[in-house]
Amino acid sequence: QVQLTESGGGLAQPGGSLKLSCVVSGRTVNSGAMGWFRQAPGKEREFTAGIKWIGGASYYADSVKGRFTISRDKGKNTVSLQMNNLNTEDTAVYYCAYGSGTITSSIPHQYGYNYWGQGTQVTVSS
């Protein structure tokens, strides 16, 4: 059974940094893509960042471009999200997602992924 487990959430001050990690267990990731989505209170879940497993091409929502960096470690079956220069609008539950057959055009969309983590809370507050 494939499981995604996130870690690294917590409280940060505006302008601060956090790093989220997500490990995939139950199978070896060797294709498709992994992504991060987030859901703020009262809002719909939205795409944040995604990465193609083969080649490592990365994609970002405009709201995080230049501040967040997604990366993957193929040997550890892990994807990470380095978040810098955080602001209060980044407060949300962050979800890791994995799609074994995700194509490039599907990376920003929830339907492109067939496995999801349970989410980790990120709160940005002074």
Side-chain angles (χ1 to χ4, degrees):
Q1 183 177 356
V2 178
Q3 288 189 317
L4 277 64
T5 305
E6 300 110 331
S7 61
L11 176 65
Q13 292 187 337
S17 299
L18 283 174
K19 184 175 183 178
L20 306 182
S21 294
C22 172
V23 59
V24 180
S25 59
R27 69 173 286 175
T28 299
V29 179
N30 52 23
S31 64
M34 294 196 70
W36 288 95
F37 290 74
R38 66 185 184 183
Q39 188 168 17
K43 295 187 177 182
E44 294 186 351
R45 191 175 299 187
E46 64 178 11
F47 171 74
T48 305
I51 188 166
K52 295 185 71 173
W53 199 255
I54 298 175
S58 56
Y59 306 84
Y60 298 93
D62 288 343
S63 59
V64 306
K65 203 170 292 184
R67 300 188 298 121
F68 290 13
T69 303
I70 188 171
S71 61
R72 85 248 191 267
D73 186 326
K74 299 171 75 175
K76 296 182 178 179
N77 247 22
T78 299
V79 65
S80 298
L81 186 67
Q82 177 67 47
M83 306 185 294
N84 297 330
N85 195 20
L86 288 161
N87 58 59
T88 56
E89 294 183 347
D90 296 317
T91 295
V93 177
Y94 284 72
Y95 297 90
C96 173
Y98 165 50
S100 56
T102 308
I103 59 176
T104 301
S105 59
S106 298
I107 287 176
H109 304 286
Q110 295 184 57
Y111 63 72
Y113 302 87
N114 43 354
Y115 301 102
W116 292 83
Q118 80 287 351
T120 185
Q121 177 70 47
V122 171
T123 302
V124 183
S125 174
S126 56

